[in-house]
Amino acid sequence: MRNAYSFRGAAMMGQQQGGQDRLFYTFNLEDHVPTDHLLRGIDRCLDLSELRSRLADHYSHTGRPSIDPELMIRMLIIGYSYGIRSERRLCEEVHLNLAYRWFCRLGLEDAVPDHSTFSKNRHGRFRESGIFRWVFEEVVRRCMAAGLVKGEGFAVDASLVAANASHQHSIQPGEQCDWNSPAIDTRAMREYLAALDGEALAAAAPRKVSLSDPHARWTAATGGIAFFAYSTNYLIDTAHGMILDVEATPAHRTAEVESTKLMVDRVEERFDIKPERLIADTAYGTAPMLGWIVEEKAIEPHIPVWDKTERKDGCFQRDDFVWDEATNEYRCPAGKPLRSEWRAFNQQRTHITKADTVIYRSSQRACAECPMKQQCCPNTAFRKIARSVHEAARDVARQIATTPAYQRSRCERKKVEMLFAHMKSILKLDRLRLRGLSGATDEFTLAATAQNLRRMAKLIGHDPPISGIGAPA
């Protein structure tokens, strides 16, 4: 028999009273969103007060009022900040989540827009007005006002993101295609065809082309199975890893490298910032790129030089030849000259090749008599060296690579790779949903905006709202 005193001090089983049939409630969303919630920090950093004036020309002055554009922008920021890739699911989450409703300025009884509203505005007035780019640049200005952008060092890199395209719906290189077929008449295809001329349309496809998203490039750069992809290019400030510019390009190395020029110039134009040094990997160390960085922009290139002149046969390397600027010639280890011309011409020649190089050759007679020939050019009659027209800029990069500052820059470059990892693993942007280059641009711009807002919200803590503007509008 149980001891009756064994239940002393135990609580009696309770039962929930009332229910959900009350007619009136006292409820305030502000009280139910934690003070340290991420969206509170983002809200302090986000200023959309000029959004409506920016979009005014893209709305009618009469008719039924539309969905508030600020509401849609705020919902998209939530979606890209929390990795909610589906617009249907985004609408459901905003409908159910109190913090999302608070951030979107929605009350408990306010209706959430239908998912189809996003498609109409994305491909219409939002894209035509460039509003995503404007929001991104406004966030960058807020970062500058908060002191999170130093402008001393920039880093640039690119990352592949799979396109919304299947290899099964594509044409092979050399295959003819009826580009006017109604079966492939999509928004992405029309955008692609608008960028081509008549000759290109009549010719066979020079590469594998997706009929779903023809701007996407077929690539196997990751070392695995080939796929259609775009590249997102980031230009960041190394102080706090804030993204200063973003550009979408097809997944092609040349397009990625060339986008750096666009981003550096755009940041200088929009925010009046030019870095003292630019950090990148070897892909950006080509002679034309280094020439642009050093000679045109006067920026220190903390970039490894792209150099394929190393010999594997044990012969003298290029570094064993000494350049003489005064006489415009190289001197070999035996002290013999290598010149771009060995006789005078009536008409002056530049000797610049299509590869933007000048070929310097030794004397065939001098090489035949040289005791070091077997160590220099055992299989040819003379030795030649191709010197880039941007060789002076390459020499600047080589000299910087020997400094301690360069080693620090190597570590800072990883901040770009960390942002790409965050974009794909946390924001879930490892595959695009929108098609076309403009669709990729929209997605990458919104993702970069969300990353800047998240980082800024965590770095500035609970300080009051930022009132200053750190760059010209």
Side-chain angles (χ1 to χ4, degrees), residues 37 64 198 328 337 360:
H37 198 283
R64 182 170 58 88
N328 188 29
Y360 290 81

Side-chain angles (χ1 to χ4, degrees), residues 369-381:
E369 299 171 354
C370 181
M372 297 183 179
K373 187 177 189 305
Q374 292 303 313
Q375 297 174 265
C376 185
C377 50
N379 301 319
T380 57

